[in-house]
Amino acid sequence: MIKIESKLPDLGVTIFSVMSALAQKLNALNLSQGFPDFPPPPELIAALAQATQQGYNQYPPGDGLLSLRQKIAAQFCQRDQVHLDPISEITITPGATTAILCAIQAVVNAGDEVIIFDPAYDSYAPAVKLAGAQAIHINLVHPDFHVDWNVVKDRINERTRLIIVNTPHNPSGAIWSKQDWQQLIELIQDKNICVLSDEVYEHLVFDGQQHYSALSFPELRDRSFVIGSFGKTFHVTGWKTGYCVAPQALMKVFRQIYQFANFCGVHPIQVALNHFIEQHPEHILDLPNFYQAKRDLFIHGIQHSKFQYLPSPGTYFQNLDFSTLRPELTDIEMCQYLAEQHKLVAIPISVFYQQPPQDLKLIRVCFAKQEETLHLAGEILTKV
Ligand code: PMP
Ligand code: GLN
Protein backbone atom coordinates (compact mmCIF):
# COMPACT_ATOMS: atom_id res chain seq x y z
CA MET A 1 0.00 0.00 0.00
CA ILE A 2 1.54 3.28 -1.14
CA LYS A 3 0.57 6.33 0.84
CA ILE A 4 1.45 9.74 -0.52
CA GLU A 5 0.56 13.17 0.65
CA SER A 6 0.50 15.99 -1.89
CA LYS A 7 2.65 18.99 -1.06
CA LEU A 8 0.15 21.13 -2.97
CA PRO A 9 -3.16 19.46 -2.09
CA ASP A 10 -5.37 22.34 -3.17
CA LEU A 11 -3.94 22.63 -6.65
CA GLY A 12 -5.58 21.31 -9.78
CA VAL A 13 -4.33 21.48 -13.37
CA THR A 14 -3.18 24.98 -14.44
CA ILE A 15 -5.81 27.14 -16.14
CA PHE A 16 -3.61 27.32 -19.27
CA SER A 17 -3.73 23.57 -19.85
CA VAL A 18 -7.45 23.46 -19.05
CA MET A 19 -8.41 26.24 -21.46
CA SER A 20 -6.15 25.17 -24.32
CA ALA A 21 -7.57 21.64 -24.04
CA LEU A 22 -11.11 23.10 -24.12
CA ALA A 23 -10.27 25.10 -27.26
CA GLN A 24 -8.97 21.96 -28.92
CA LYS A 25 -11.98 19.90 -27.89
CA LEU A 26 -14.46 22.47 -29.19
CA ASN A 27 -12.34 23.40 -32.18
CA ALA A 28 -12.61 26.98 -30.93
CA LEU A 29 -10.43 30.04 -31.43
CA ASN A 30 -7.81 29.86 -28.68
CA LEU A 31 -7.10 33.28 -27.19
CA SER A 32 -6.50 31.81 -23.74
CA GLN A 33 -2.96 30.52 -23.13
CA GLY A 34 -0.41 33.16 -24.08
CA PHE A 35 1.47 32.13 -27.22
CA PRO A 36 1.81 33.44 -30.78
CA ASP A 37 -0.09 31.66 -33.58
CA PHE A 38 2.47 32.98 -36.11
CA PRO A 39 5.89 31.48 -36.77
CA PRO A 40 9.14 32.75 -35.29
CA PRO A 41 11.57 34.57 -37.62
CA PRO A 42 12.74 32.10 -40.34
CA GLU A 43 16.38 33.06 -39.66
CA LEU A 44 15.95 31.88 -36.06
CA ILE A 45 14.54 28.53 -37.20
CA ALA A 46 17.44 28.19 -39.63
CA ALA A 47 19.91 29.05 -36.86
CA LEU A 48 18.50 26.25 -34.71
CA ALA A 49 18.78 23.72 -37.54
CA GLN A 50 22.32 24.89 -38.19
CA ALA A 51 23.26 24.64 -34.50
CA THR A 52 22.15 21.01 -34.35
CA GLN A 53 23.95 20.22 -37.62
CA GLN A 54 27.10 21.91 -36.39
CA GLY A 55 27.18 19.58 -33.42
CA TYR A 56 25.84 21.65 -30.51
CA ASN A 57 23.97 18.64 -29.20
CA GLN A 58 25.66 17.92 -25.89
CA TYR A 59 25.46 19.75 -22.58
CA PRO A 60 26.28 23.44 -22.70
CA PRO A 61 27.97 25.06 -19.68
CA GLY A 62 25.55 24.76 -16.74
CA ASP A 63 25.21 28.53 -16.35
CA GLY A 64 24.54 28.98 -20.07
CA LEU A 65 26.43 29.91 -23.22
CA LEU A 66 28.74 32.76 -22.24
CA SER A 67 28.23 34.70 -25.48
CA LEU A 68 24.45 34.68 -24.92
CA ARG A 69 24.92 35.85 -21.34
CA GLN A 70 27.15 38.64 -22.66
CA LYS A 71 24.32 39.72 -24.98
CA ILE A 72 21.93 39.90 -22.02
CA ALA A 73 24.48 41.96 -20.08
CA ALA A 74 24.86 44.31 -23.07
CA GLN A 75 21.08 44.82 -23.22
CA PHE A 76 20.88 45.73 -19.53
CA CYS A 77 23.87 48.02 -19.92
CA GLN A 78 22.27 49.87 -22.83
CA ARG A 79 18.76 50.11 -21.42
CA ASP A 80 19.32 50.42 -17.68
CA GLN A 81 22.92 51.64 -17.47
CA VAL A 82 23.69 48.73 -15.17
CA HIS A 83 26.93 46.79 -15.49
CA LEU A 84 26.50 43.06 -15.03
CA ASP A 85 29.17 40.40 -14.87
CA PRO A 86 27.87 37.76 -17.31
CA ILE A 87 29.98 35.08 -15.63
CA SER A 88 28.80 35.47 -12.07
CA GLU A 89 25.49 37.33 -12.38
CA ILE A 90 23.58 35.74 -15.28
CA THR A 91 22.29 32.18 -15.68
CA ILE A 92 20.39 30.84 -18.70
CA THR A 93 17.58 28.48 -17.68
CA PRO A 94 15.10 26.23 -19.47
CA GLY A 95 12.31 28.81 -19.24
CA ALA A 96 11.48 31.59 -16.83
CA THR A 97 9.32 29.24 -14.75
CA THR A 98 12.32 27.19 -13.62
CA ALA A 99 14.23 30.37 -12.81
CA ILE A 100 11.33 31.63 -10.68
CA LEU A 101 11.07 28.32 -8.82
CA CYS A 102 14.81 28.19 -8.12
CA ALA A 103 15.04 31.84 -7.04
CA ILE A 104 12.22 31.34 -4.54
CA GLN A 105 13.73 28.12 -3.17
CA ALA A 106 17.10 29.88 -2.92
CA VAL A 107 16.09 32.71 -0.59
CA VAL A 108 12.83 31.69 1.07
CA ASN A 109 12.78 29.39 4.10
CA ALA A 110 10.08 27.64 6.09
CA GLY A 111 8.10 30.14 8.14
CA ASP A 112 8.96 33.11 5.90
CA GLU A 113 6.36 35.26 4.21
CA VAL A 114 6.36 36.26 0.55
CA ILE A 115 4.25 39.11 -0.79
CA ILE A 116 2.45 38.39 -4.05
CA PHE A 117 0.26 40.88 -5.89
CA ASP A 118 -2.99 39.39 -7.16
CA PRO A 119 -4.02 38.71 -9.85
CA ALA A 120 -0.72 36.82 -10.09
CA TYR A 121 0.92 34.48 -12.56
CA ASP A 122 0.01 31.06 -11.31
CA SER A 123 3.46 29.60 -10.64
CA TYR A 124 4.43 31.98 -7.79
CA ALA A 125 2.24 30.79 -4.92
CA PRO A 126 2.93 27.04 -5.36
CA ALA A 127 6.69 27.75 -5.42
CA VAL A 128 6.37 29.69 -2.17
CA LYS A 129 4.41 26.86 -0.58
CA LEU A 130 7.01 24.29 -1.68
CA ALA A 131 9.58 26.34 0.23
CA GLY A 132 7.43 25.91 3.36
CA ALA A 133 6.66 29.62 3.40
CA GLN A 134 3.41 31.57 3.36
CA ALA A 135 2.24 33.65 0.42
CA ILE A 136 0.71 36.96 1.50
CA HIS A 137 -1.65 37.98 -1.29
CA ILE A 138 -2.35 41.67 -1.84
CA ASN A 139 -4.96 42.60 -4.42
CA LEU A 140 -4.02 45.18 -7.04
CA VAL A 141 -6.61 47.92 -7.41
CA HIS A 142 -8.58 47.63 -10.63
CA PRO A 143 -9.48 48.85 -13.23
CA ASP A 144 -5.83 49.90 -13.75
CA PHE A 145 -4.34 47.31 -11.36
CA HIS A 146 -2.13 49.69 -9.39
CA VAL A 147 -0.53 48.87 -6.04
CA ASP A 148 -2.02 50.31 -2.87
CA TRP A 149 1.24 51.04 -1.08
CA ASN A 150 -0.44 51.62 2.28
CA VAL A 151 -1.63 48.02 2.23
CA VAL A 152 1.87 46.78 1.37
CA LYS A 153 3.32 48.79 4.25
CA ASP A 154 0.82 47.17 6.63
CA ARG A 155 1.61 43.65 5.45
CA ILE A 156 5.40 43.87 5.72
CA ASN A 157 6.79 42.45 8.96
CA GLU A 158 9.90 40.71 10.27
CA ARG A 159 8.91 37.45 8.54
CA THR A 160 8.68 39.06 5.08
CA ARG A 161 11.57 37.66 3.04
CA LEU A 162 10.61 38.32 -0.57
CA ILE A 163 8.32 40.52 -2.66
CA ILE A 164 7.38 39.25 -6.12
CA VAL A 165 6.94 41.94 -8.75
CA ASN A 166 5.72 41.35 -12.29
CA THR A 167 6.04 44.22 -14.76
CA PRO A 168 4.69 44.32 -17.46
CA HIS A 169 1.99 42.44 -15.63
CA ASN A 170 0.28 39.20 -16.62
CA PRO A 171 -2.76 39.08 -16.67
CA SER A 172 -3.63 42.81 -16.53
CA GLY A 173 -1.04 44.37 -18.87
CA ALA A 174 -0.24 47.04 -16.25
CA ILE A 175 3.30 48.37 -16.00
CA TRP A 176 5.11 49.75 -12.97
CA SER A 177 6.09 53.41 -13.01
CA LYS A 178 9.28 54.79 -11.54
CA GLN A 179 7.15 55.99 -8.60
CA ASP A 180 5.99 52.43 -7.90
CA TRP A 181 9.59 51.27 -7.65
CA GLN A 182 10.46 54.22 -5.45
CA GLN A 183 7.62 53.36 -3.09
CA LEU A 184 8.92 49.79 -2.89
CA ILE A 185 12.46 50.98 -2.22
CA GLU A 186 11.26 53.22 0.58
CA LEU A 187 9.46 50.33 2.26
CA ILE A 188 12.22 47.71 2.07
CA GLN A 189 15.59 49.44 1.84
CA ASP A 190 16.41 49.04 5.53
CA LYS A 191 14.99 45.50 5.76
CA ASN A 192 16.22 42.01 4.94
CA ILE A 193 13.77 41.61 2.05
CA CYS A 194 14.64 40.40 -1.46
CA VAL A 195 12.82 41.20 -4.71
CA LEU A 196 11.93 38.76 -7.45
CA SER A 197 11.10 40.82 -10.50
CA ASP A 198 9.43 38.82 -13.26
CA GLU A 199 10.11 40.87 -16.38
CA VAL A 200 9.37 38.29 -19.07
CA TYR A 201 7.37 40.90 -21.05
CA GLU A 202 10.15 43.51 -20.73
CA HIS A 203 10.07 44.37 -24.45
CA LEU A 204 6.28 44.52 -24.78
CA VAL A 205 5.55 48.05 -23.58
CA PHE A 206 3.37 50.35 -25.67
CA ASP A 207 2.37 53.95 -26.38
CA GLY A 208 5.92 55.23 -25.93
CA GLN A 209 6.04 54.17 -22.30
CA GLN A 210 9.17 52.75 -20.69
CA HIS A 211 9.93 49.50 -18.91
CA TYR A 212 11.71 49.99 -15.60
CA SER A 213 13.70 46.95 -14.55
CA ALA A 214 14.39 46.33 -10.87
CA LEU A 215 18.05 46.42 -11.89
CA SER A 216 17.83 50.04 -12.99
CA PHE A 217 17.51 51.07 -9.32
CA PRO A 218 20.88 50.98 -7.50
CA GLU A 219 19.02 50.58 -4.18
CA LEU A 220 17.63 47.23 -5.36
CA ARG A 221 20.76 45.94 -7.05
CA ASP A 222 22.06 43.80 -4.16
CA ARG A 223 18.68 42.21 -3.34
CA SER A 224 16.95 41.51 -6.67
CA PHE A 225 16.49 38.59 -9.00
CA VAL A 226 15.32 39.64 -12.46
CA ILE A 227 13.75 36.97 -14.64
CA GLY A 228 13.47 37.05 -18.44
CA SER A 229 12.16 34.74 -21.16
CA PHE A 230 13.38 34.38 -24.74
CA GLY A 231 10.08 32.60 -25.45
CA LYS A 232 8.12 35.88 -25.36
CA THR A 233 10.74 38.01 -27.06
CA PHE A 234 11.42 35.73 -30.04
CA HIS A 235 7.96 34.15 -30.52
CA VAL A 236 9.20 30.75 -29.34
CA THR A 237 7.32 29.95 -26.12
CA GLY A 238 7.82 26.22 -26.81
CA TRP A 239 11.59 26.60 -26.74
CA LYS A 240 11.34 27.23 -23.00
CA THR A 241 14.49 29.26 -22.59
CA GLY A 242 14.84 32.08 -20.11
CA TYR A 243 17.30 33.66 -17.75
CA CYS A 244 17.93 34.86 -14.25
CA VAL A 245 20.02 37.90 -13.34
CA ALA A 246 21.11 38.50 -9.76
CA PRO A 247 24.08 39.88 -7.80
CA GLN A 248 26.83 37.39 -7.05
CA ALA A 249 25.69 36.52 -3.53
CA LEU A 250 22.13 35.76 -4.65
CA MET A 251 23.27 34.02 -7.82
CA LYS A 252 25.48 31.73 -5.75
CA VAL A 253 22.52 30.36 -3.77
CA PHE A 254 20.37 30.32 -6.93
CA ARG A 255 22.90 28.11 -8.73
CA GLN A 256 23.18 25.75 -5.77
CA ILE A 257 19.53 24.88 -6.39
CA TYR A 258 19.47 25.23 -10.16
CA GLN A 259 22.39 22.85 -10.77
CA PHE A 260 20.24 20.05 -9.35
CA ALA A 261 16.90 21.28 -10.68
CA ASN A 262 18.12 21.20 -14.27
CA PHE A 263 21.89 21.66 -14.44
CA CYS A 264 21.66 23.45 -17.81
CA GLY A 265 19.40 24.74 -20.57
CA VAL A 266 19.13 23.41 -24.13
CA HIS A 267 22.40 23.87 -25.99
CA PRO A 268 21.38 24.34 -29.67
CA ILE A 269 18.61 26.77 -28.66
CA GLN A 270 21.13 28.96 -26.88
CA VAL A 271 23.47 28.86 -29.89
CA ALA A 272 20.57 29.78 -32.21
CA LEU A 273 19.36 32.66 -30.03
CA ASN A 274 22.87 33.99 -29.70
CA HIS A 275 23.39 33.91 -33.48
CA PHE A 276 20.01 35.50 -34.20
CA ILE A 277 20.48 38.35 -31.68
CA GLU A 278 23.88 39.05 -33.25
CA GLN A 279 22.49 39.11 -36.79
CA HIS A 280 19.16 40.82 -36.07
CA PRO A 281 19.51 43.43 -33.35
CA GLU A 282 16.45 45.16 -34.87
CA HIS A 283 14.15 42.32 -33.76
CA ILE A 284 13.94 43.49 -30.15
CA LEU A 285 13.77 47.17 -31.10
CA ASP A 286 10.79 46.49 -33.40
CA LEU A 287 8.83 44.48 -30.80
CA PRO A 288 6.88 47.32 -29.11
CA ASN A 289 5.51 48.55 -32.46
CA PHE A 290 4.92 45.01 -33.69
CA TYR A 291 2.74 44.12 -30.69
CA GLN A 292 1.16 47.56 -30.31
CA ALA A 293 -0.16 47.21 -33.89
CA LYS A 294 -1.65 43.84 -32.93
CA ARG A 295 -3.24 45.26 -29.79
CA ASP A 296 -4.70 48.18 -31.77
CA LEU A 297 -5.99 45.92 -34.53
CA PHE A 298 -7.66 43.74 -31.93
CA ILE A 299 -9.32 46.63 -30.09
CA HIS A 300 -10.39 48.20 -33.39
CA GLY A 301 -12.12 44.90 -34.18
CA ILE A 302 -14.11 44.97 -30.93
CA GLN A 303 -14.95 48.69 -30.82
CA HIS A 304 -18.60 48.00 -31.63
CA SER A 305 -18.85 45.04 -29.26
CA LYS A 306 -20.50 45.23 -25.85
CA PHE A 307 -17.24 44.57 -24.03
CA GLN A 308 -15.53 47.42 -22.21
CA TYR A 309 -11.77 47.73 -21.99
CA LEU A 310 -8.81 49.93 -21.25
CA PRO A 311 -6.11 49.43 -23.91
CA SER A 312 -3.38 47.31 -22.40
CA PRO A 313 -0.13 49.29 -21.78
CA GLY A 314 2.07 46.16 -21.86
CA THR A 315 2.31 42.36 -22.44
CA TYR A 316 0.36 40.60 -25.19
CA PHE A 317 -2.82 40.36 -23.12
CA GLN A 318 -5.96 42.48 -23.18
CA ASN A 319 -8.60 42.33 -20.46
CA LEU A 320 -12.25 42.69 -21.41
CA ASP A 321 -15.00 43.69 -18.99
CA PHE A 322 -18.35 42.01 -19.58
CA SER A 323 -20.22 43.56 -16.63
CA THR A 324 -22.78 45.35 -18.81
CA LEU A 325 -23.08 42.45 -21.24
CA ARG A 326 -23.78 39.42 -19.02
CA PRO A 327 -23.66 40.71 -15.42
CA GLU A 328 -25.36 37.57 -14.13
CA LEU A 329 -22.40 35.36 -15.11
CA THR A 330 -19.16 34.82 -13.22
CA ASP A 331 -16.02 35.14 -15.32
CA ILE A 332 -15.61 31.36 -15.35
CA GLU A 333 -19.19 30.98 -16.60
CA MET A 334 -18.58 33.71 -19.17
CA CYS A 335 -15.55 31.84 -20.52
CA GLN A 336 -17.55 28.63 -20.63
CA TYR A 337 -20.38 30.42 -22.45
CA LEU A 338 -17.98 32.05 -24.96
CA ALA A 339 -16.31 28.71 -25.63
CA GLU A 340 -19.48 26.69 -26.07
CA GLN A 341 -21.72 29.23 -27.79
CA HIS A 342 -19.23 31.37 -29.69
CA LYS A 343 -16.24 29.07 -30.15
CA LEU A 344 -13.77 31.49 -28.59
CA VAL A 345 -11.69 30.60 -25.54
CA ALA A 346 -10.43 33.21 -23.06
CA ILE A 347 -9.12 33.06 -19.48
CA PRO A 348 -11.18 34.12 -16.44
CA ILE A 349 -9.21 36.60 -14.34
CA SER A 350 -10.53 35.36 -10.99
CA VAL A 351 -8.34 32.24 -11.18
CA PHE A 352 -5.28 34.44 -10.65
CA TYR A 353 -6.53 35.53 -7.23
CA GLN A 354 -6.57 33.99 -3.79
CA GLN A 355 -9.60 36.18 -3.05
CA PRO A 356 -11.05 37.78 -6.17
CA PRO A 357 -13.02 41.00 -5.71
CA GLN A 358 -16.78 40.27 -5.81
CA ASP A 359 -17.59 42.51 -8.74
CA LEU A 360 -14.78 41.37 -11.03
CA LYS A 361 -16.21 40.60 -14.48
CA LEU A 362 -13.05 40.32 -16.51
CA ILE A 363 -11.65 37.90 -19.04
CA ARG A 364 -8.17 37.86 -20.54
CA VAL A 365 -7.48 37.40 -24.24
CA CYS A 366 -4.08 37.02 -25.89
CA PHE A 367 -3.48 39.20 -28.97
CA ALA A 368 -0.20 37.57 -30.01
CA LYS A 369 -2.00 36.42 -33.13
CA GLN A 370 -1.88 36.86 -36.90
CA GLU A 371 -4.09 39.56 -38.42
CA GLU A 372 -6.54 36.99 -39.72
CA THR A 373 -7.05 35.57 -36.21
CA LEU A 374 -7.49 39.05 -34.74
CA HIS A 375 -10.14 39.90 -37.39
CA LEU A 376 -11.98 36.68 -36.63
CA ALA A 377 -11.81 37.37 -32.89
CA GLY A 378 -13.30 40.82 -33.50
CA GLU A 379 -16.16 39.37 -35.54
CA ILE A 380 -16.95 36.76 -32.89
CA LEU A 381 -16.76 39.15 -29.93
CA THR A 382 -18.89 41.78 -31.69
CA LYS A 383 -21.69 39.24 -32.08
CA VAL A 384 -21.77 38.34 -28.37
N1 PMP B 1 6.08 34.74 -15.89
C1 PMP B 1 5.01 35.25 -16.54
C2 PMP B 1 4.39 36.48 -16.01
C3 PMP B 1 4.53 34.62 -17.68
O1 PMP B 1 3.47 35.11 -18.30
C4 PMP B 1 5.18 33.48 -18.16
C5 PMP B 1 4.66 32.85 -19.43
N2 PMP B 1 4.51 31.55 -19.41
C6 PMP B 1 6.27 32.98 -17.44
C7 PMP B 1 6.70 33.63 -16.31
C8 PMP B 1 6.99 31.72 -17.82
O2 PMP B 1 7.80 31.84 -18.94
P1 PMP B 1 8.53 30.57 -19.57
O3 PMP B 1 7.59 30.03 -20.59
O4 PMP B 1 9.79 31.11 -20.16
O5 PMP B 1 8.76 29.59 -18.48
N1 GLN C 1 2.36 32.63 -19.70
C1 GLN C 1 1.33 32.08 -20.49
C2 GLN C 1 0.01 32.69 -20.09
O1 GLN C 1 -0.08 33.41 -19.16
C3 GLN C 1 1.21 30.59 -20.46
C4 GLN C 1 2.05 29.85 -19.52
C5 GLN C 1 1.71 28.41 -19.40
O2 GLN C 1 1.06 27.82 -20.22
N2 GLN C 1 2.16 27.85 -18.34
O3 GLN C 1 -0.96 32.40 -20.75
Side-chain angles (χ1 to χ4, degrees):
M1 289 287 279
I2 307 286
K3 270 201 187 150
I4 49 165
E5 215 174 301
S6 170
K7 289 193 172 137
L8 303 167
D10 305 327
L11 272 192
V13 178
T14 99
I15 188 71
F16 306 116
S17 306
V18 171
M19 296 320 260
S20 277
L22 183 66
Q24 210 159 20
K25 185 175 134 202
L26 299 174
N27 197 20
L29 195 62
N30 188 2
L31 301 187
S32 62
Q33 193 178 21
F35 61 85
D37 73 345
F38 47 85
E43 298 87 347
L44 181 57
I45 301 286
L48 179 60
Q50 199 183 27
T52 56
Q53 282 154 7
Q54 285 177 344
Y56 295 101
N57 300 305
Q58 312 310 329
Y59 300 125
D63 303 333
L65 207 68
L66 184 56
S67 45
L68 184 57
R69 289 190 274 155
Q70 283 164 338
K71 303 250 175 348
I72 295 168
Q75 276 171 27
F76 276 99
C77 180
Q78 204 174 10
R79 187 186 65 197
D80 305 303
Q81 288 80 52
V82 58
H83 297 281
L84 298 170
D85 173 12
I87 294 176
S88 62
E89 297 186 305
I90 302 177
T91 301
I92 312 283
T93 59
T97 311
T98 297
I100 292 166
L101 184 76
C102 292
I104 292 172
Q105 304 312 312
V107 293
V108 174
N109 289 302
D112 288 346
E113 291 185 0
V114 176
I115 290 181
I116 295 179
F117 297 106
D118 282 357
Y121 186 61
D122 66 350
S123 83
Y124 306 153
V128 169
K129 188 151 189 193
L130 283 178
Q134 193 187 352
I136 302 298
H137 294 261
I138 297 178
N139 284 2
L140 295 167
V141 188
H142 74 287
D144 64 352
F145 292 91
H146 67 270
V147 179
D148 182 336
W149 287 103
N150 288 324
V151 176
V152 181
K153 188 174 177 198
D154 286 348
R155 302 302 296 271
I156 289 178
N157 60 47
E158 69 287 353
R159 288 185 300 279
T160 312
R161 191 63 50 238
L162 178 72
I163 297 185
I164 303 182
V165 176
N166 173 210
T167 181
H169 180 248
N170 179 10
S172 77
I175 52 179
W176 269 30
S177 65
K178 214 174 190 170
Q179 287 71 30
D180 282 310
W181 284 111
Q182 266 145 7
Q183 297 262 22
L184 179 73
I185 290 165
E186 215 166 285
L187 290 184
I188 67 171
Q189 64 187 349
D190 57 350
K191 301 187 170 65
N192 184 27
I193 298 177
C194 292
V195 172
L196 171 62
S197 186
D198 178 347
E199 303 180 10
V200 298
Y201 300 101
E202 61 187 321
H203 302 297
L204 277 57
V205 172
F206 313 130
D207 308 315
Q209 294 208 61
Q210 194 182 333
H211 167 67
Y212 291 101
S213 171
L215 288 178
S216 64
F217 299 92
E219 301 91 329
L220 297 175
R221 183 73 176 89
D222 66 343
R223 61 175 77 212
S224 300
F225 293 97
V226 169
I227 308 291
S229 174
F230 295 104
K232 324 287 174 196
T233 304
F234 297 99
H235 318 315
V236 287
T237 61
W239 287 17
K240 286 300 275 188
T241 300
Y243 59 86
C244 176
V245 181
Q248 234 175 72
L250 293 190
M251 188 53 86
K252 188 170 170 221
V253 284
F254 174 92
R255 286 178 179 167
Q256 283 173 340
I257 311 260
Y258 173 67
Q259 65 181 336
F260 296 117
N262 230 85
F263 178 65
C264 65
V266 179
H267 199 171
I269 289 179
Q270 296 181 39
V271 173
L273 286 167
N274 181 55
H275 180 77
F276 182 77
I277 295 169
E278 209 161 78
Q279 300 297 314
H280 296 279
E282 77 288 355
H283 175 90
I284 288 179
L285 301 175
D286 292 345
L287 267 189
N289 284 342
F290 176 80
Y291 270 118
Q292 185 176 323
K294 291 196 178 296
R295 179 200 65 178
D296 292 348
L297 183 65
F298 174 70
I299 58 181
H300 179 76
I302 58 163
Q303 63 183 334
H304 300 303
S305 77
K306 297 195 185 71
F307 290 95
Q308 291 159 326
Y309 52 87
L310 294 170
S312 193
T315 73
Y316 46 46
F317 302 114
Q318 174 70 49
N319 285 357
L320 301 176
D321 184 318
F322 61 93
S323 54
T324 55
L325 180 62
R326 297 296 303 267
E328 74 284 10
L329 300 184
T330 64
D331 59 351
I332 295 174
E333 290 165 345
M334 183 67 184
C335 286
Q336 201 76 31
Y337 162 76
L338 282 175
E340 283 163 6
Q341 302 299 321
H342 294 275
K343 296 275 184 281
L344 184 145
V345 182
I347 298 258
I349 293 292
S350 63
V351 302
F352 299 107
Y353 283 89
Q354 186 188 50
Q355 277 209 307
Q358 289 262 311
D359 55 342
L360 199 76
K361 304 274 176 192
L362 283 181
I363 58 170
R364 189 198 82 176
V365 294
C366 171
F367 57 77
K369 306 294 166 190
Q370 359 185 356
E371 288 190 7
E372 196 188 352
T373 312
L374 295 172
H375 284 304
L376 183 59
E379 278 168 32
I380 295 175
L381 291 168
T382 303
K383 284 189 197 132
V384 178

